[in-house]
Amino acid sequence: MTHDAAAEATTTKLLAVVEKPRRNIYAFACVTLASMTTILTGYNLALMSGAELLIREDLGLTDAQVEVLAGSMNVFMLASILISGWTADVLGRRATLVIGNAFLTAGALAMSLGGSYAALLAARFVTSIGMGLALVVAPVYNAEISPPSTRGVLSSLLDIFINVGILLGYTSNYAFADLPVHVAWRIMYAIGVLPPVLLAVGVLAMPESPRWLAMRGRHADARAVLLRTSDTAAEADLRLEDINRALDAPQAAGSVWQELIVRPSATVRRILICVVGLHFFQEASGIDAVILYSPLVFKKAGMSANSTVLGATVAVGIVKTCFIFVAMLLVDRVGRRPLLLASAGGVAVSFTALALTLCVRETSRASAAACVASVMAFVAAFSIGFGPLASTYAAEIMPLRLRAQGAGLGMAVNRLTCGAVSMSFISLAGWITMPGCFFLYAGVAAMACVFVHLRLPETRGRSLEDMEALFAK
């Protein structure tokens, strides 16, 4: 039997096994622990939206310094993102997540103690190392540990916890805004010191990824993990057979990076376009402009009091988190592709509406309410597709031999794009106006809709090791 025929046979068996899925509690617990390592990622990103108002006043920062401080972490992440694939393959997925939590603890402590612009930049760099490791390795671990029947739902937990962190960041801004300026923002960051320590202890209780164990020749350990994370023993054996077949498949000559970038096959090239394109459009559509600068947007719409502005950001965070649950309910029922298409279309429409509300010359309560409603519509649309599914889809379609490095490359593009958006929003708004910025983001979202329609096949219910067949033609 040929390799493709074997892949097709195994996929057929797996689809039969997952026809009536049984929720695996152990797999759910493992994915939950891995995903919780990203809470501090969301917390740090959202916290800056309110903390920047206080830091600017306390340390006398300029607009340019605020832009760099807010967006630099996305650029700083490149260092850890580009080595995360190697670290995950050498040390294991679990150990890499523990290291990431150690950097998150150190970064939160350094931010709370920082007394100058340079000190805060250095603290953001330390934090970015932990965030980069968590953002790359957690989705890879989740995809590899989850049974096919619930892989979409379980992989979506990653974005749930990122958004829990975002909501906590907004809530922290609101809760401590009335404290003395020089104390308030330091307390906000100090709160982030202890959680990574507790999460690191929890991660140590997780099993290692069965695919990593098999790569290391530990097939008995891999099967033991698969038995605990599969819906049935038969499915565990099929998953192990799939992994071994992928490991035994002919490998291209040279290193992983050569196969991925220097001399990729036509199939790998198609996969890479999908991974890089999806990560690019996720961030180029302007999500971080909203997360970081929504207080400025609301003030532009007519809100004046900081407490009102920060209260509106909390409401936005609640909506964003709630709609990820909608994605979780639908992803293994309707598939990835329909949700991504609906998400891109919704982002384009909601940003167009937001831009139009900001064009109103005479601001009022009605214009402010319309602005907040448009932002809520945007985060709702983003959260049913682009938010939870970009990393999930990218981790699913990458071949096992390239998965860790491929996920790292996709996340590098993601963070570079995010850095460009977050470090240019204030300057861009001064050049083409704030409504012009959101018209631009709406155009990018429309392009993303076309990209998803033309390039991304459906992956629901397929074996991870069989994804290459989708891109072979």
Side-chain angles (χ1 to χ4, degrees):
M1 184 180 288
T2 65
H3 181 269
D4 288 343
E8 188 61 34
T10 304
T11 299
T12 303
K13 293 176 185 176
L14 272 173
L15 287 172
V17 169
V18 304
E19 213 168 57
K20 295 180 180 178
R22 173 179 62 83
R23 304 305 182 200
N24 187 296
I25 301 302
Y26 185 72
F28 175 82
C30 293
V31 171
T32 298
L33 280 171
S35 299
M36 286 179 71
T37 61
T38 62
I39 286 181
L40 265 293
T41 297
Y43 184 78
N44 278 287
L45 289 174
L47 192 63
M48 183 54 72
S49 67
E52 70 185 35
L53 302 175
L54 305 175
I55 295 173
R56 184 199 297 260
E57 182 180 345
D58 188 23
L59 302 182
L61 303 186
T62 65
D63 281 348
Q65 288 176 321
V66 169
E67 271 188 326
V68 172
L69 193 61
S72 60
M73 197 155 59
N74 294 298
V75 178
F76 291 157
M77 275 190 220
L78 290 177
S80 57
I81 284 172
L82 292 176
I83 66 166
S84 59
W86 175 84
T87 306
D89 281 347
V90 173
L91 301 179
R93 282 52 163 154
R94 187 175 60 175
T96 302
L97 290 175
V98 171
I99 293 171
N101 277 283
F103 277 101
L104 286 171
T105 297
L109 183 61
M111 278 297 294
S112 66
L113 298 176
S116 66
Y117 175 63
L120 293 182
L121 272 181
R124 297 285 273 179
F125 176 76
V126 174
T127 304
S128 73
I129 295 176
M131 289 172 62
L133 293 175
L135 283 173
V136 173
V137 179
V140 171
Y141 179 88
N142 290 353
E144 293 181 345
I145 205 79
S146 303
S149 62
T150 52
R151 191 171 61 237
V153 170
L154 295 183
S155 296
S156 297
L157 286 174
L158 185 77
D159 206 57
I160 285 284
F161 285 107
I162 290 176
N163 279 275
V164 168
I166 289 173
L167 181 57
L168 290 174
Y170 285 149
T171 304
S172 182
N173 286 335
Y174 183 74
F176 298 110
D178 292 333
L179 292 178
V181 170
H182 68 284
V183 173
W185 65 270
R186 297 180 188 279
I187 292 178
M188 294 175 186
Y189 282 103
I191 289 173
V193 173
L194 184 59
V197 177
L198 301 178
L199 288 173
V201 174
V203 168
L204 289 174
M206 300 182 335
E208 186 51 86
S209 157
R211 285 171 175 80
W212 184 82
L213 292 170
M215 286 169 63
R216 292 295 168 183
R218 296 165 57 182
H219 298 285
D221 292 337
R223 186 173 186 276
V225 174
L226 287 170
L227 284 171
R228 299 191 71 182
T229 59
S230 298
D231 293 334
T232 65
E235 182 185 284
D237 290 333
L238 285 172
R239 290 173 69 187
L240 184 59
E241 177 186 330
D242 237 358
I243 293 170
N244 290 332
R245 177 167 48 77
L247 292 174
D248 293 338
Q251 306 291 316
S255 69
V256 168
W257 288 111
Q258 284 180 313
E259 185 180 356
L260 195 61
I261 297 176
V262 181
R263 290 191 298 273
S265 65
T267 300
V268 170
R269 190 181 302 114
R270 293 186 191 103
I271 292 173
L272 197 59
I273 289 171
C274 291
V275 170
V276 170
L278 194 53
H279 275 295
F280 168 78
F281 281 117
Q282 183 194 43
E283 294 299 330
S285 59
I287 179 62
D288 273 72
V290 170
I291 290 176
L292 287 171
Y293 300 111
S294 54
L296 299 182
V297 175
F298 294 149
K299 286 190 174 184
K300 170 72 174 175
M303 294 184 181
S304 55
N306 278 349
S307 59
T308 304
V309 168
L310 296 177
T313 63
V314 173
V316 168
I318 292 172
V319 171
K320 191 174 188 304
T321 303
C322 289
F323 271 84
I324 296 175
F325 288 102
V326 176
M328 286 184 65
L329 291 173
L330 297 177
V331 65
D332 284 322
R333 290 179 170 85
V334 304
R336 285 66 160 151
R337 181 180 157 88
L339 290 180
L340 287 169
L341 285 169
S343 180
V347 167
V349 171
S350 57
F351 264 161
T352 300
L354 176 59
L356 291 173
T357 64
L358 293 174
C359 288
V360 176
R361 292 178 180 241
E362 297 292 331
T363 59
S364 62
R365 287 189 176 183
S367 64
C371 175
V372 174
S374 297
V375 172
M376 287 181 172
F378 160 71
V379 297
F382 184 86
S383 296
I384 64 168
F386 268 126
L389 297 184
S391 294
T392 297
Y393 191 93
E396 282 183 330
I397 65 176
M398 268 293 171
L400 173 59
R401 63 189 181 279
L402 309 175
R403 187 167 296 142
Q405 286 82 357
L409 182 61
M411 190 55 66
V413 172
N414 182 287
R415 292 297 95 189
L416 272 176
T417 309
C418 180
V421 170
S422 57
M423 293 173 71
S424 66
F425 179 78
I426 296 176
S427 301
L428 189 63
W431 180 38
I432 65 172
T433 73
M434 195 174 288
C437 288
F438 291 111
F439 277 127
L440 176 63
Y441 297 147
V444 172
M447 293 172 59
C449 198
V450 175
F451 173 79
V452 172
H453 176 70
L454 295 178
R455 305 292 309 196
L456 271 58
E458 183 55 67
T459 61
R460 178 171 62 103
R462 297 187 71 96
S463 160
L464 286 179
E465 279 65 44
D466 188 37
M467 291 296 178
E468 276 187 90
L470 286 174
F471 299 87
K473 298 180 181 179

